[in-house]
Amino acid sequence: MAKGEGAESGSAAGLLPTGILQAGERPAQAKKEPKKKQQLSICNKLCYAVGGAPYQVTGCVLGFFLQIYLLDVAQVDPFPASIILFVGRAWDAFTDPLVGFCISKSSWTRLGRLMPWIIFSTPLAIIAYFLIWFVPDFPQVQPLWYLLFYCLFETLVTCFHVPYSALTMFISTEQSERDSATAYRMTVEVLGTVLGTAIQGQIVGQADTPCLQDPNSSAVASDSANRTQSTTSLRDTQNAYLLAAGVIASIYVICAVILTLGVREQREPYETQQAEPISFFRGLRLVMSHGPYIKLIAGFLFTSLAFMLVEGNFALFCTYTLGFRNEFQNLLLAIMSAVPFLILVALMESNLIVTYVVAVAAGISVAAAFLLPWSMLPDVIDDFHLKQPHSHGTEPIFFSFYVFFTKFASGVSLGISTLSLDFAGYQTRGCSQPARVRFTLKMLVTMAPIVLILLGLLLFKLYPIDEEKRRQNKKALQALRDEASSSGCSDTDSTELASIL
């Protein structure tokens, strides 16, 4: 027997009571007929990872550009714009547990339980996304138009992303393969944020968004002289946003097709031997009473809230506070924010070269602070499965409520931030803004995120699943899967195994 194989068998066998193992008979059988691990090919992992791009690409574009689009391109007043941003994010948060509930009630089909949601939501989502960036000819219905299609798109993209997130637990029964696929996914999602920012920023940046030198002036001569040029330039900017929306929608469809063709759902061996899934509300009570999950949610809430504040206000900050109206789309390619760099941005004078250096350096930290919590969630779910081995079908609840709290809080923050600009005296289409608006933008992009990030890091210190605990859970889960896969495992044995674990 190889040394590694003996250690693996010994550690797994040590977790199981002798009654279940029948005095060592099953470990002996495992030596004779070792179970072949289910390996995911690189192609499978890449196809799975590509599925994370649509949510990141569209989310990044909406986060960075929707606010400035509503204010300066669609020319929606700040107060209705704040209502659109708040209600849209709040509705998006509400749809996550709602979709999670519906998925938990879904039956397994030939395509799986999650894939049908991804397939059927995609065509409707891209239509709604395109219409978000269309300016209707009736100004009085514009707020209702954007609110309707923003909420509709967020609902449909939730029908895509919640099952995709839960798919992590169903692409393989091997924890090592899940971890590897998650690493692929994190890489593609980081690239997706850059890709979305690059496409939207560079296409929109080619158009010259018109502005008024003195929006409060009533000089008729100056207004009539600039009216034709301003209208033409504004129309070009609107067409640029539509072109960018078409490109982003095409990427959404391509990624969905690759995901559908390259990934197949797999059920856990012990799940097929269980009875019907537990009820949604009972599962919700169990999930919300799981300590590691609550600590992870709390830390992720504050850190993601900080990034969303920066994301929603950074374009306005670059345009009006730093004075880089024609450069913000390039800066968006580099910056994703971090505490030391936000402090530097807050204290420095308006300097383009320094801003680029700060943006590049800040981008290094966003993956760890914003995306790594997603890679920690499967560890929390595995820990939950060890403590509640008979409570299967809860994965959509974990993933949907993971984003519910952050989306709702971000909706509140973006609504308040846009409303605060209205109170500060924001001037739509102005080439410059009053000092109070510039100061408000600086606080929204620097000091508020700094405080939120520090609170999030403090909460992450309380996270209980370290690397040693993760290794123990991995071995225990593998023992549970191997025992459930064997033909002689009875319900009594499973109950005893659960109590031991």
Side-chain angles (χ1 to χ4, degrees):
M1 180 189 304
K3 182 177 179 181
E5 182 181 353
E8 180 82 14
S9 301
S11 62
L15 293 170
L16 304 177
T18 55
I20 295 180
L21 295 178
Q22 296 181 353
E25 293 178 8
R26 288 177 186 166
Q29 182 180 0
K31 297 176 186 177
K32 296 178 183 179
E33 299 179 3
K35 181 182 176 181
K36 185 179 179 180
K37 292 187 176 181
Q38 298 176 341
Q39 299 288 339
L40 291 175
S41 66
I42 295 179
C43 180
N44 292 139
K45 295 175 184 178
L46 287 174
C47 290
Y48 166 73
V50 166
Y55 181 79
Q56 294 298 332
V57 170
T58 57
C60 188
V61 170
L62 288 170
F64 276 122
F65 290 92
L66 183 58
Q67 185 183 48
I68 194 172
Y69 167 80
L70 292 175
L71 293 175
D72 288 355
V73 180
Q75 301 181 29
V76 178
D77 291 334
F79 180 74
S82 67
I83 299 298
I84 293 171
L85 294 172
F86 166 69
V87 175
R89 287 295 183 100
W91 173 256
D92 185 22
F94 174 76
T95 58
D96 282 284
L98 179 62
V99 171
F101 171 78
C102 295
I103 293 175
S104 67
K105 295 299 182 181
S106 300
S107 302
W108 280 83
T109 66
R110 185 174 60 87
L111 297 174
R113 186 174 63 179
L114 306 174
M115 278 298 183
W117 289 84
I118 295 174
I119 294 172
F120 293 112
S121 66
T122 296
L124 298 176
I126 61 174
I127 294 175
Y129 179 80
F130 186 81
L131 292 176
I132 290 175
W133 305 103
F134 176 78
V135 180
D137 294 331
F138 305 100
Q140 62 272 18
V141 302
Q142 281 186 359
L144 181 60
W145 173 280
Y146 292 117
L147 180 61
L148 172 63
F149 286 106
Y150 186 29
C151 292
L152 180 60
F153 172 74
E154 294 294 356
T155 302
L156 293 168
V157 80
T158 298
C159 292
F160 181 101
H161 190 250
V162 169
Y164 171 76
S165 300
L167 190 62
T168 306
M169 308 303 297
F170 297 96
I171 57 176
S172 175
T173 57
E174 298 294 336
Q175 182 63 33
S176 59
E177 293 299 300
R178 293 174 178 174
D179 293 341
S180 177
T182 300
Y184 278 78
R185 172 190 169 187
M186 293 294 104
T187 302
V188 172
E189 288 186 345
V190 171
L191 295 176
T193 60
V194 177
L195 180 64
T197 304
I199 293 174
Q200 184 83 10
Q202 296 306 311
I203 294 178
V204 171
Q206 301 303 315
D208 183 18
T209 304
C211 64
L212 302 179
Q213 294 293 338
D214 187 5
N216 294 324
S217 175
S218 59
V220 179
S222 176
D223 180 71
S224 60
N226 295 327
R227 184 182 302 275
T228 302
Q229 181 180 0
S230 176
T231 302
T232 303
S233 181
L234 182 61
R235 187 178 298 109
D236 291 340
T237 303
Q238 294 171 353
N239 292 335
Y241 272 94
L242 285 177
L243 175 60
V247 176
I248 297 295
S250 300
I251 294 175
Y252 194 116
V253 174
I254 293 172
C255 293
V257 171
I258 293 175
L259 172 66
T260 303
L261 298 179
V263 178
R264 184 174 63 89
E265 291 183 56
Q266 301 181 33
R267 302 183 72 172
E268 285 281 12
Y270 58 82
E271 182 180 339
T272 58
Q273 300 178 3
Q274 303 277 337
E276 290 296 319
I278 61 174
S279 66
F280 175 81
F281 293 104
R282 181 169 179 267
L284 180 60
R285 286 195 300 270
L286 292 174
V287 167
M288 290 303 169
S289 63
H290 191 54
Y293 184 62
I294 299 301
K295 293 181 175 65
L296 183 60
I297 280 181
F300 185 56
L301 171 65
F302 286 102
T303 54
S304 62
L305 198 55
F307 295 127
M308 290 175 184
L309 267 179
V310 176
E311 184 182 63
N313 295 281
F314 187 73
L316 293 173
F317 174 73
C318 289
T319 300
Y320 296 115
T321 301
L322 298 182
F324 303 143
R325 171 177 291 273
N326 297 322
E327 292 290 335
F328 80 88
Q329 70 272 9
N330 297 321
L331 291 170
L332 291 181
L333 290 175
I335 193 168
M336 292 293 179
S337 130
V339 169
F341 310 110
L342 291 178
I343 295 176
L344 182 58
V345 170
L347 299 179
M348 73 180 184
E349 297 295 331
S350 179
N351 186 293
L352 181 60
I353 297 177
V354 175
T355 304
Y356 268 110
V357 173
V358 170
V360 172
I364 300 174
S365 64
V366 69
F370 189 68
L371 295 177
L372 282 182
W374 279 102
S375 66
M376 299 161 66
L377 185 55
D379 297 332
V380 173
I381 297 176
D382 288 339
D383 185 73
F384 176 82
H385 283 162
L386 286 175
K387 296 177 180 178
Q388 304 287 343
H390 297 288
S391 301
H392 64 280
T394 56
E395 291 84 1
I397 300 177
F398 272 101
F399 284 95
S400 60
F401 275 89
Y402 193 57
V403 295
F404 167 78
F405 297 104
T406 57
K407 285 183 178 181
F408 184 81
S410 70
V412 174
S413 68
L414 288 178
I416 292 176
S417 65
T418 308
L419 196 60
S420 65
L421 294 178
D422 188 25
F423 291 151
Y426 182 87
Q427 299 172 345
T428 302
R429 295 181 59 194
C431 292
S432 62
Q433 297 292 338
R436 291 177 58 188
V437 174
R438 297 196 299 270
F439 177 78
T440 301
L441 286 170
K442 178 175 285 190
M443 293 298 100
L444 291 173
V445 175
T446 57
M447 296 308 300
I450 289 171
V451 174
L452 292 170
I453 289 175
L454 293 177
L455 289 174
L457 292 177
L458 178 62
L459 290 169
F460 277 131
K461 286 285 292 182
L462 305 176
Y463 182 67
I465 302 179
D466 53 14
E467 186 60 28
E468 180 62 27
K469 178 68 173 177
R470 185 174 178 271
R471 285 196 295 266
Q472 293 175 0
N473 287 350
K474 179 180 178 180
K475 293 178 181 179
L477 271 175
Q478 190 58 49
L480 180 62
R481 294 187 182 104
D482 292 341
E483 189 64 22
S485 299
S486 62
S487 58
C489 183
S490 64
D491 291 340
T492 304
D493 296 335
S494 298
T495 303
E496 186 176 357
L497 175 64
S499 64
I500 293 297
L501 294 177

